[in-house]
Amino acid sequence: MCALEIEAQFISDYAKSVIMFVIHVVFDMSICVFGIAGNALNITVFRKQGLRNSVNLSLFAISISDLLGLIFQVWQNFCLNPYLEQADLPVDFFYIQALTGGNPNVAMTRITGWITMYVTAERCLSVLTPFKVGLIVTFERRVLILFFCYGINLAFFFPFFANYYLDFNFIPELNKTKLGMSVRGDSEFLGFVINVGHIYLTIISFVVVIINTAILVVTLKWKSKWRQSATSNQNQQKALSSREKKTVMLVIMMATVLIACYCPGVVCTFLEIFYPAFGFNDKQQNVFHVTWSFCFLFNSINAIKLYGMQCDATIRDMCKNPDFVCTSDAHGLSRCLCSDNTFYDGFTCSKNLVSEMKVSINQVNFTFHKAFGLRSFNLTWSATGNSHDYGSQFINGNFISVQKLTPGQQYIFTVATILHFESEYENNKTLQSKFSLVTYPASPGKLWVERSQLNKSPYILKFNQSQGVVNSYQVTIKTVNLMHEVIIRRVTNPEVITFDLYPNTQYIYEIIAYNMLGNQSAATTGNFMIKAGVIQ
């Protein structure tokens, strides 16, 4: 390559290497691993459910093409690692990836587009002619159509694989022979034919998918209005309208993702035809390779589909997790979702609506889960053994502070909420969790000297009891100079009787209250002195 051509490059060789490393080795490789696992799950689940169902069969075929495409993409990502050039291996990975990874991946991507075109067309038939679609599209015809989608796209790659092949090539710049890619015949004309075929096949699927999606959207909206006018029950009208709106939005989203992910590749193909400098070995080859790297990244994103999350209630142990059950979701699909009175908290199915709780003497702070679909909570409480200590509060949000509770008291709390159907479920789902807690005890009062007997044995120490409910007190008495034994008493009433005090001695006391769970209060401390016959 001459110096003038190098200067004319929009993207330098170093920038190209960095961008391709980040895209292929970092991002795309991670996406491919996740997508391979997801599509393998799809294939397994659809096989268990059976392929006689039209949707299952079509999605099974899409999962196969996506899985194969992602496997080819993993190999392509490995080959496009720019640091492989520094390994000085007898293989030119940059060129062989086009034959063994890039083009096979493009073929699988086009197959996915064509099967999507067929799926949307079949859905249009089911909406427009619901009683005839079963007669028009039989199981045998579905299989033939899917084979046709695979066959026509693979056939257009026959000229490429018939003329390009792996061969050892001598590289004058390196004075080495490496395994690379060679071509029979006119490579420019062959590339033009392949690009034209790619454009036609891709545009056909794109246009038909857009038309079918538009038909579905218009038809569903029309039927929604018709059902509302024909249905007298307002609740049924709202349910039908909301559910069909979700279906319309789902179809629009699927079409948008398909177009957004595949359009960059179509644009690049047009550029190859109408802008000669944009090519594999042409003047703007760095721009070509960087742009196609982004295209392959989008293709990998589109190939991540978790159709296999659907389930079949007739298959035993379909939902491996015992917390899940096979039920209809908000879009009418059968999926493994949390059972009644439970919700998904991000890790598992949980019954506890409270994610965090902080208890103090007369106050409890609750933080509720922020699961999607949980908007408001109704909290009620009542004290055990005290019918006058109760309350309730309604919260729009996920935090509440309940105050003015009795210290040391046991309370029964009930949290109720509605998991709205826009989260995942077909209908609104009522959730409720019930639990008990005990507030912390209040600190006891000081020693009540006037009512205590400190001038003769037995010595009686009375102190002011804690506010609220107390299970027990712990009283510790010791001399200032620690000359005598430390006295520790655990009592249920706010007084201590002992014979172990000495006249003319200064004492320090510490009193701690405990609730029924063993939680302790802050300590109350003080001192007193005993003199023979005198109270001080």
Side-chain angles (χ1 to χ4, degrees):
M1 183 179 293
C2 65
L4 181 61
E5 290 179 326
I6 295 176
E7 292 176 359
Q9 284 277 359
F10 294 149
I11 298 177
S12 66
D13 292 339
Y14 176 76
K16 182 197 77 171
S17 299
V18 172
I19 294 173
M20 292 184 66
F21 177 82
V22 172
I23 292 176
H24 289 283
V25 180
V26 179
F27 291 121
D28 203 5
M29 191 68 80
S30 303
I31 293 172
C32 288
V33 171
F34 181 76
I36 289 173
N39 283 286
L41 175 64
N42 294 338
I43 294 171
T44 303
V45 171
F46 288 135
R47 284 188 60 192
K48 288 184 178 181
Q49 291 181 348
L51 301 178
R52 302 293 299 186
N53 179 276
S54 62
V55 176
N56 283 7
L57 181 63
S58 302
L59 297 183
F60 177 80
I62 290 179
S63 298
I64 291 178
S65 62
D66 285 339
L67 177 62
L68 293 175
L70 289 170
I71 292 174
F72 285 124
Q73 185 62 50
V74 169
W75 168 245
Q76 185 186 23
N77 291 336
F78 172 79
C79 294
L80 290 177
N81 186 344
Y83 291 100
L84 283 176
E85 298 179 6
Q86 303 177 9
D88 196 23
L89 298 173
V91 179
D92 194 342
F93 289 100
F94 191 77
Y95 282 91
I96 68 171
Q97 61 83 22
L99 184 63
T100 60
N103 280 282
N105 182 21
V106 172
M108 295 300 110
T109 300
R110 282 208 319 231
I111 290 171
T112 297
W114 271 66
I115 298 177
T116 304
M117 175 182 67
Y118 159 68
V119 171
T120 55
E122 187 181 15
R123 290 301 94 193
C124 285
L125 283 176
S126 66
V127 172
L128 297 175
T129 58
F131 300 106
K132 297 181 180 180
V133 64
L135 299 175
I136 298 174
V137 186
T138 62
F139 175 76
E140 291 75 14
R141 289 174 181 172
R142 292 190 193 105
V143 174
L144 289 176
I145 292 172
L146 293 175
F147 272 111
F148 174 77
C149 292
Y150 272 85
I152 190 173
N153 284 281
L154 294 177
F156 269 82
F157 275 92
F158 178 77
F160 177 83
F161 289 102
N163 290 275
Y164 285 92
Y165 60 96
L166 296 178
D167 192 15
F168 285 95
N169 300 316
F170 179 73
I171 304 175
E173 294 84 357
L174 302 176
N175 194 26
K176 290 183 179 180
T177 299
K178 288 190 174 185
L179 179 64
M181 185 175 64
S182 298
V183 61
R184 304 182 184 93
D186 188 351
S187 60
E188 292 186 3
F189 176 75
L190 185 61
F192 176 81
V193 172
I194 293 173
N195 287 334
V196 170
H198 178 67
I199 287 177
Y200 276 111
L201 290 177
T202 306
I203 287 180
I204 288 173
S205 63
F206 274 10
V207 171
V208 175
V209 166
I210 293 172
I211 293 174
N212 292 341
T213 303
I215 293 173
L216 283 173
V217 170
V218 173
T219 306
L220 287 174
K221 285 186 176 180
W222 175 80
K223 286 199 171 186
S224 177
K225 292 181 180 179
W226 177 82
R227 286 177 180 174
Q228 286 185 356
S229 62
T231 306
S232 58
N233 189 295
Q234 293 184 354
N235 293 330
Q236 290 182 358
Q237 290 180 10
K238 292 180 180 179
L240 288 170
S241 176
S242 176
R243 188 167 180 178
E244 290 175 358
K245 183 179 179 181
K246 293 176 186 297
T247 306
V248 171
M249 295 303 297
L250 179 63
V251 172
I252 293 174
M253 181 187 68
M254 291 175 59
T256 303
V257 172
L258 183 71
I259 295 170
C261 291
Y262 285 4
C263 269
V266 178
V267 173
C268 287
T269 307
F270 273 110
L271 285 175
E272 289 185 59
I273 295 176
F274 299 108
Y275 184 48
F278 184 79
F280 195 93
N281 288 314
D282 294 314
K283 187 176 181 180
Q284 296 299 332
Q285 58 178 288
N286 287 352
V287 179
F288 173 87
H289 294 300
V290 168
T291 306
W292 271 107
S293 295
F294 281 102
C295 295
F296 283 117
L297 178 65
F298 283 121
N299 291 344
S300 299
I301 293 173
N302 184 73
I304 299 178
K305 302 180 181 73
L306 291 177
Y307 300 123
M309 293 303 291
Q310 298 183 60
C311 61
D312 189 343
T314 62
I315 299 177
R316 185 178 179 183
D317 298 329
M318 189 71 191
C319 302
K320 299 299 182 182
N321 192 321
D323 295 332
F324 289 90
V325 294
C326 187
T327 185
S328 296
D329 67 1
H331 307 293
L333 300 175
S334 295
R335 292 178 54 202
C336 292
L337 299 174
C338 292
S339 58
D340 292 340
N341 204 31
T342 63
F343 68 99
Y344 190 68
D345 62 4
F347 300 96
T348 185
C349 293
S350 176
K351 293 183 179 180
N352 188 10
L353 293 167
V354 179
S355 62
E356 186 178 358
M357 178 173 57
K358 293 183 179 180
V359 183
S360 61
I361 297 174
N362 57 3
Q363 177 177 323
V364 182
N365 295 332
F366 294 102
T367 302
F368 302 108
H369 280 287
K370 295 182 179 179
F372 182 65
L374 297 179
R375 300 174 182 169
S376 57
F377 301 86
N378 186 40
L379 181 67
T380 60
W381 64 90
S382 61
T384 303
N386 186 353
S387 59
H388 300 288
D389 191 355
Y390 63 92
S392 64
Q393 196 165 346
F394 182 80
I395 316 102
N396 273 318
N398 71 314
F399 177 81
I400 183 176
S401 179
V402 180
Q403 301 178 359
K404 297 182 179 180
L405 299 176
T406 303
Q409 175 68 56
Q410 182 182 21
Y411 287 90
I412 304 297
F413 282 85
T414 302
V415 186
T417 186
I418 294 177
L419 185 63
H420 293 270
F421 59 80
E422 64 263 27
S423 57
E424 285 183 307
Y425 298 90
E426 185 176 16
N427 300 305
N428 289 348
K429 186 177 181 181
T430 302
L431 302 175
Q432 180 176 295
S433 60
K434 192 174 183 179
F435 55 92
S436 66
L437 59 84
V438 181
T439 54
Y440 280 71
S443 299
K446 293 281 187 177
L447 180 66
W448 201 342
V449 177
E450 291 78 6
R451 295 195 177 185
S452 299
Q453 180 175 297
L454 303 177
N455 60 347
K456 64 178 181 179
S457 182
Y459 300 100
I460 302 174
L461 284 72
K462 293 188 176 183
F463 47 89
N464 294 296
Q465 66 180 15
S466 301
Q467 294 181 352
V469 181
V470 176
N471 182 262
S472 63
Y473 298 94
Q474 178 176 288
V475 182
T476 303
I477 304 172
K478 56 186 177 181
T479 58
V480 175
N481 54 13
L482 300 179
M483 291 293 293
H484 300 287
E485 182 181 356
V486 177
I487 302 171
I488 300 177
R489 296 286 188 271
R490 193 71 174 259
V491 294
T492 56
N493 295 316
E495 70 174 29
V496 173
I497 301 175
T498 180
F499 294 89
D500 300 327
L501 300 181
Y502 297 89
N504 301 316
T505 304
Q506 183 82 25
Y507 286 93
I508 299 173
Y509 67 86
E510 179 187 77
I511 309 171
I512 299 174
Y514 290 86
N515 64 12
M516 62 184 300
L517 298 180
N519 304 122
Q520 67 181 47
S521 68
T524 299
T525 59
N527 60 79
F528 64 93
M529 185 172 182
I530 294 181
K531 289 186 178 181
V534 180
I535 302 175
Q536 291 189 354

